[in-house]
Amino acid sequence: ISGLTISFTHVSYQGTGNFSGVSGIFNGTASQQIFQMNGSGVRQGTFRYTYDNTAIVVPGIYAGQVTYTLAVP
């Protein structure tokens, strides 16, 4: 079945490694800042994404995309 969607507001994220303590739920906007650092340094870790399973949806395969952008002054 095509055309079915699950809002990203039903998806949470949690960081590990240098990103531990970074967690939340996507707000559904096209651009959301989830981490900011000042100064130089190396950051290593992963993000885990979890569907909150509160919406009733038909069985199927759903895909999503998260893009990370690095901005420097």
Side-chain angles (χ1 to χ4, degrees):
I1 302 174
S2 64
L4 300 174
T5 62
I6 298 173
S7 171
F8 259 75
T9 58
H10 292 282
V11 177
S12 61
Y13 55 88
Q14 183 173 22
T16 66
N18 290 132
F19 300 107
S20 62
V22 178
S23 63
I25 299 172
F26 286 104
N27 62 18
T29 62
S31 178
Q32 177 180 348
Q33 179 176 308
I34 62 172
F35 179 77
Q36 178 180 345
M37 67 177 261
N38 295 317
S40 62
V42 175
R43 298 291 184 259
Q44 293 180 330
T46 60
F47 280 92
R48 176 180 168 190
Y49 302 94
T50 307
Y51 170 59
D52 68 12
N53 205 24
T54 58
I56 298 173
V57 297
V58 299
I61 297 172
Y62 294 83
Q65 179 175 327
V66 177
T67 302
Y68 295 92
T69 304
L70 171 66
V72 295

